[in-house]
Amino acid sequence: EAAVTQSPRNKVAVTGGKVTLSCNQTNNHNNMYWYRQDTGHGLRLIHYSYGAGSTEKGDIPDGYKASRPSQENFSLILELATPSQTSVYFCASGKNTLYFGAGTRLSVL
Amino acid sequence: AQSVTQPDARVTVSEGASLQLRCKYSYSGTPYLFWYVQYPRQGLQLLLKYYSGDPVVQGVNGFEAEFIKSNSSFHLRKASVHWSDSAVYFCAVSAANTNKVVFGTGTRLQVLP
């Protein structure tokens, strides 16, 4: 069974603070993705990766960085969090068919 | 670039009724098409996918979808819905030569007992 684990599940951050969202997959997939989900927008792609050491910009990368230190791990970094980044963030792995984590609910106050 | 339109934000049906959730995609090449379901407080789970071949694809829990190239559509259907089908359904498209999967805005399905 494919497994994607996100941490933390919930996070409250202050405006201007640094936030790191973590994702671990045991599927041995090369591709990993970060999406955010907002009402009326569905899922929007922030960053993705083809493998360890690679990161690519998705459709809405501004204000976010990504890091892929290993095949298993893919992080999303908000260097200076803003209230507009309050959202639910999903990590996924796979090629075409995606396997999703349970999501991280981030509130930036 | 590919895109997906799900025109219905919400659909309400009675238990036992038939269901169709609409999806139209935009992509000039050969698309890979997907339907995912999201239950409350969970990630998305794959319902079914179409890559090629028979345009009618079967998925889990009695769902099916039909790829109609002439209409750029990939509507999801179920003959008889159950209250447990209440969830948000996402249509998605990707291209064979890219690694990007683009999602629609989702349709929230409510099944009334």
Side-chain angles (χ1 to χ4, degrees):
Chain A
E1 178 81 17
V4 179
T5 304
Q6 293 182 232
S7 61
R9 289 295 313 277
N10 295 281
K11 173 76 176 177
V12 178
V14 296
T15 297
K18 182 177 180 179
V19 177
T20 300
L21 307 183
S22 299
C23 179
N24 176 276
Q25 56 111 351
T26 59
N27 311 319
N28 198 33
H29 288 148
N30 290 329
N31 297 350
M32 296 186 73
Y33 305 82
W34 276 106
Y35 289 88
R36 63 178 284 177
Q37 182 179 19
D38 303 286
T39 303
H41 291 280
L43 274 75
R44 292 180 290 174
L45 182 63
I46 306 170
H47 283 288
Y48 59 104
S49 168
Y50 295 124
S54 93
T55 61
E56 305 288 337
K57 293 181 178 180
D59 298 320
I60 54 164
D62 293 345
Y64 302 93
K65 289 173 54 179
S67 173
R68 184 85 182 271
S70 65
Q71 179 82 338
E72 298 79 19
N73 295 295
F74 189 38
S75 297
L76 185 69
I77 303 154
L78 292 66
E79 294 278 6
L80 294 170
T82 69
S84 65
Q85 294 175 313
T86 293
S87 186
V88 181
Y89 292 85
F90 287 98
C91 176
S93 73
K95 182 172 183 178
N96 295 312
T97 299
L98 300 185
Y99 297 87
F100 283 83
T104 294
R105 189 173 295 271
L106 174 65
S107 295
V108 182
L109 306 179
Chain B
Q2 59 267 43
S3 66
V4 176
T5 300
Q6 294 182 248
D8 305 309
R10 291 179 177 268
V11 170
T12 301
V13 297
S14 298
E15 193 168 28
S18 63
L19 171 70
Q20 175 170 280
L21 301 182
R22 297 184 290 166
C23 171
K24 296 201 75 170
Y25 68 90
S26 174
Y27 180 59
S28 57
T30 301
Y32 293 165
L33 295 162
F34 309 84
W35 276 98
Y36 286 83
V37 61
Q38 183 182 33
Y39 298 104
R41 301 278 177 166
Q42 295 185 27
L44 282 68
Q45 304 169 36
L46 183 69
L47 265 183
L48 50 80
K49 62 187 177 185
Y50 172 80
Y51 285 174
S52 65
D54 188 338
V56 179
V57 291
Q58 305 296 321
V60 298
N61 296 333
F63 286 94
E64 69 174 30
E66 183 174 7
F67 169 56
I68 303 180
K69 186 175 182 178
S70 61
N71 196 36
S72 298
S73 68
F74 190 58
H75 301 331
L76 182 70
R77 303 189 296 238
K78 187 171 184 178
S80 176
V81 296
H82 187 265
W83 65 266
S84 61
D85 293 326
S86 296
V88 181
Y89 292 79
F90 290 93
C91 183
V93 62
S94 72
N97 60 346
T98 76
N99 292 289
K100 288 179 62 175
V101 180
V102 176
F103 288 83
T105 52
T107 298
R108 182 176 297 276
L109 173 66
Q110 182 180 17
V111 180
L112 302 176

